Amino acid sequence: MSSREMTSQSRFPIFIPHSTAMKKITSLLLLILLSLSALTQSLPRSTPEAEGVSSAAILRFIEAYQTNKHELHSVMIIRHGKVITEAWWNPYAADLKHSMYSISKSWTSTAVGFAVDEKKISVTDKVISFFPEYQGLASKPFVADLTVKDLLTMSVGHDREDFGSVFMQADWTNAFLRLPIVYKPGTKFMYNTLATYLLSAIVQKATGQKLMDYLTPRLFTPLGISGVDWEENNKGINTGGWGIRVKTEDMAKLGLLYLNNGQFNGKQILSSEWVKEATSKQIEQKPDTTQAAKDSSDWLQGYGYQFWRCRNNAVRGDGAFGQYIVMMPDQDAVVIITSESLDLQDDLNMIWRNLLPAFSNNNSIPKDRKSLRRLQKKIKQLKLNPPATITKKGNQQLVNTSFPLNANAFNFASIKVQQSKKSWSLVIDDKAKKTYEIPLGFQTWALGETTLVGPYLLRPAPINFGLLGTFKTAGSCRWLDEETLEITIRYIESPHHWTMQLKKEEGLLKMKLINSYAPDTVMEIKEKK
């Protein structure tokens, strides 16, 4: 039994006794469990044809992704408010959160929308007005002119995004306001994740609550969303522009909220005025771009309030490496994708090429049982296989020995691969003298949890990762050849994984480490002499 299975079964232990009374109690407990499951799921289910979509086209859509460019983790398709397809590539699963990178921006925009509806914020408010402690910076060029809307539309006026210099400072708000504003705010688009962080700081100033706490009664609870976490910095401010982790269906609920003009289950949650403003084109990315370039790009259709306009009159929340909430009002549909993709435009092309034509104008189309069975069979088979071994045995000097390591970007102090008769594991000590043990399967996935921060584009940022608790992993190892032991660690609430190759050279260990999001960059870490 996997650790995930043991966890889910031990959460509500049910004993089946022989007495009639106890059997009734057991039945009641089962009914409660089913009710809880339905409450957390919340979105109704249907079949593709019943909602006017071809099962065969959905199958083509799933099969069209090329694994050398796209690694899908989940897909969910909603039509007429009902989930018609949902798929996860094992070891990714429905009950797992997933790092969303910049889709976090759309959740932050939603928080601003609630604050606007409650008249705690106006988009025309000057940014500096929320930070009287930095009033001395108002004399810097354009700082006094900067509005909340300029942050929402990525039109601050910076000529570049300077993550490094801001992250190096203890106070990110102060550091952001000190960055030179070159262009008049509101006139020039430049993607600006730090601007979204400032929106988070403004919401916290205006409401007295962190973004997460502010959204909980207004958004998460009404939509039946639970278990969310969001990174925060050393000032206790949610990062805003990145760092939220939610489940696939949670993304679908946000998409439906915007698709239905702020309504969810017939109740107005967010004002329709905000939804219209946030999803309309507020600024063009490159006004001087040729029409031909615009016609082939989903990054040149205009930008709203932390939402991208798309071709085909669609709008999306968009996160690095292929995280999408695509809302298609003309088709009354939402498409959710989590993945690790290296070709983002191709991700969206797949939707336009394979899914868009499949949405019939009719509310339903004739049943296609054969295609539906093929689609369902395909979904059951979806998985990301662990790397297959090439040889069954290798250099045993690489096993059950702890190797001290030279200084490295990951702060690993030592590494050890443990092998017993029944199991494998990877043991890492860091420079802070913390020990992390991650289960490994040999040519199979072993599920586990760790507090070791894994592969992540923003791993070096001064974030309080400890607030996120443990990270779920799927680990595997194989002998690449008789002298090389390869380890794969998937962080299955993240798009990414590590590949480590251990080999002895001239009597010392050499480890090659690859972040999956940068597969062409190989980092070498050597054993300390």
Side-chain angles (χ1 to χ4, degrees):
M1 185 182 294
S2 72
S3 61
R4 189 183 302 151
E5 291 169 331
M6 288 188 289
T7 300
S8 62
Q9 292 187 14
S10 62
R11 194 176 298 149
F12 294 102
I14 297 174
F15 303 95
I16 310 298
H18 295 290
S19 72
T20 302
M22 291 305 290
K23 285 182 179 179
K24 288 182 178 179
I25 292 172
T26 299
S27 298
L28 180 61
L29 286 171
L30 286 170
L31 182 61
I32 292 171
L33 282 176
L34 290 172
S35 299
L36 287 172
S37 175
L39 180 65
T40 54
Q41 187 181 74
S42 86
L43 295 182
R45 264 58 180 174
S46 185
T47 59
E49 279 74 20
E51 306 306 323
V53 186
S54 161
S55 292
I58 294 174
L59 180 60
R60 286 194 297 272
F61 167 69
I62 290 174
E63 292 181 333
Y65 282 83
Q66 299 176 29
T67 55
N68 64 328
K69 293 195 295 183
H70 315 278
E71 180 186 275
L72 292 176
H73 298 158
S74 74
V75 167
M76 183 174 280
I77 302 171
I78 298 94
R79 184 90 193 279
H80 304 326
K82 299 174 184 177
V83 177
I84 60 171
T85 297
E86 51 190 314
W88 286 265
W89 278 250
N90 187 61
Y92 292 86
D95 63 331
L96 294 178
K97 294 172 288 193
H98 200 278
S99 296
M100 294 302 160
Y101 278 104
S102 286
I103 285 185
S104 306
K105 294 177 171 68
S106 300
W107 298 85
T108 301
S109 171
T110 304
V112 175
F114 281 117
V116 169
D117 288 348
E118 295 169 6
K119 302 192 184 309
K120 292 181 169 68
I121 293 174
S122 167
V123 298
T124 58
D125 284 342
K126 304 298 186 185
V127 169
I128 197 69
S129 70
F130 295 96
F131 305 102
E133 63 270 36
Y134 307 129
Q135 193 61 43
L137 298 175
S139 60
K140 290 174 60 66
F142 297 122
V143 168
D145 302 324
L146 189 64
T147 67
V148 170
K149 184 174 181 178
D150 300 329
L151 301 178
L152 286 164
T153 58
M154 301 284 189
S155 57
V156 172
H158 294 157
D159 62 350
R160 62 190 178 95
E161 189 167 32
D162 197 347
F163 266 111
S165 67
V166 172
F167 282 166
M168 291 296 291
Q169 305 301 315
D171 187 336
W172 294 0
T173 300
N174 186 357
F176 179 89
L177 293 172
R178 289 181 178 277
L179 293 175
I181 299 178
V182 178
Y183 307 102
K184 182 181 178 181
T187 63
K188 189 175 178 66
F189 176 89
M190 190 207 75
Y191 197 72
N192 197 325
T193 293
L194 291 169
T196 317
Y197 164 76
L198 208 62
L199 287 171
S200 176
I202 286 172
V203 169
Q204 190 160 328
K205 277 274 194 172
T207 69
Q209 292 180 290
K210 294 178 186 177
L211 215 55
M212 275 275 295
D213 297 333
Y214 183 64
L215 283 174
T216 296
R218 293 164 176 83
L219 183 69
F220 300 149
T221 300
L223 270 59
I225 295 173
S226 61
V228 181
D229 55 38
W230 204 327
E231 296 164 24
E232 60 182 61
N233 69 357
N234 57 7
K235 292 286 186 180
I237 301 172
N238 290 125
T239 48
W242 72 96
I244 199 171
R245 296 195 305 172
V246 294
K247 297 183 284 294
T248 303
E249 187 156 343
D250 299 336
M251 297 167 69
K253 291 173 181 177
L254 185 69
L256 278 172
L257 180 74
Y258 276 86
L259 187 72
N260 294 322
N261 295 310
Q263 290 191 3
F264 190 81
N265 285 342
K267 182 179 179 182
Q268 196 74 41
I269 305 296
L270 182 65
S271 73
S272 59
E273 292 81 7
W274 178 262
V275 170
K276 183 177 180 180
E277 275 193 61
T279 58
S280 296
K281 180 167 70 173
Q282 299 290 342
I283 191 169
E284 290 210 36
Q285 289 93 340
K286 295 181 179 179
D288 298 330
T289 302
T290 64
Q291 190 60 45
K294 289 181 180 181
D295 290 344
S296 62
S297 173
D298 286 292
W299 276 262
L300 297 173
Q301 304 302 310
Y303 194 76
Y305 291 168
Q306 311 283 288
F307 287 93
W308 296 84
R309 294 292 308 175
C310 306
R311 291 174 293 172
N312 303 299
N313 194 37
V315 64
R316 74 184 187 277
D318 183 315
F321 304 105
Q323 326 313 317
Y324 302 102
I325 305 173
V326 181
M327 293 151 280
M328 305 164 67
D330 294 348
Q331 290 73 34
D332 191 23
V334 177
V335 178
I336 306 299
I337 297 173
T338 64
S339 66
E340 183 176 57
S341 175
L342 301 178
D343 189 339
L344 304 185
Q345 183 59 69
D346 197 46
D347 288 337
L348 296 168
N349 290 344
M350 293 292 179
I351 295 175
W352 312 140
R353 186 181 305 133
N354 298 299
L355 274 187
L356 184 64
F359 291 105
S360 168
N361 291 329
N362 299 320
N363 287 333
S364 64
I365 58 177
K367 292 181 179 179
D368 184 352
R369 291 186 176 90
K370 183 177 180 180
S371 294
L372 179 59
R373 284 195 298 269
R374 288 179 59 215
L375 174 62
Q376 291 170 337
K377 181 180 179 181
K378 178 69 175 182
I379 288 172
K380 288 179 181 178
Q381 296 172 341
L382 294 173
K383 59 182 177 179
L384 301 174
N385 290 315
T389 193
I390 296 172
T391 179
K392 292 186 178 180
K393 294 183 179 180
N395 186 350
Q396 292 302 301
Q397 292 182 18
L398 296 172
V399 178
N400 294 326
T401 301
S402 181
F403 297 99
L405 301 174
N406 286 328
N408 56 82
F410 303 92
N411 289 320
F412 295 166
S414 68
I415 190 168
K416 178 183 180 180
V417 179
Q418 290 189 159
Q419 180 189 12
S420 66
K421 289 184 179 180
K422 294 185 178 181
S423 65
W424 293 70
S425 66
L426 176 67
V427 180
I428 292 174
D429 291 331
D430 68 11
K431 295 294 184 182
K433 298 184 178 179
K434 293 181 180 178
T435 299
Y436 310 91
E437 184 169 1
I438 301 174
L440 302 174
F442 188 74
Q443 299 187 81
T444 188
W445 295 119
L447 301 182
E449 296 184 3
T450 182
T451 56
L452 177 65
V453 180
Y456 183 36
L457 194 62
L458 291 159
R459 192 177 192 269
I463 299 297
N464 190 352
F465 290 108
L467 295 174
L468 303 182
T470 57
F471 304 98
K472 291 181 171 59
T473 60
S476 181
C477 63
R478 65 168 176 165
W479 290 105
L480 194 59
D481 55 50
E482 292 183 354
E483 299 298 326
T484 308
L485 180 61
E486 184 181 82
I487 298 161
T488 302
I489 305 292
R490 285 191 173 277
Y491 277 67
I492 54 176
E493 294 176 308
S494 146
H496 309 310
H497 63 272
W498 273 327
T499 301
M500 304 173 180
Q501 295 177 357
L502 279 61
K503 187 175 184 178
K504 282 263 191 170
E505 290 188 0
E506 298 179 354
L508 295 174
L509 179 79
K510 182 171 79 172
M511 177 171 70
K512 293 181 179 179
L513 192 151
I514 301 170
N515 287 309
S516 59
Y517 60 80
D520 297 329
T521 302
V522 180
M523 289 161 281
E524 289 192 356
I525 304 174
K526 295 183 179 180
E527 180 182 354
K528 194 174 184 178
K529 292 184 180 180

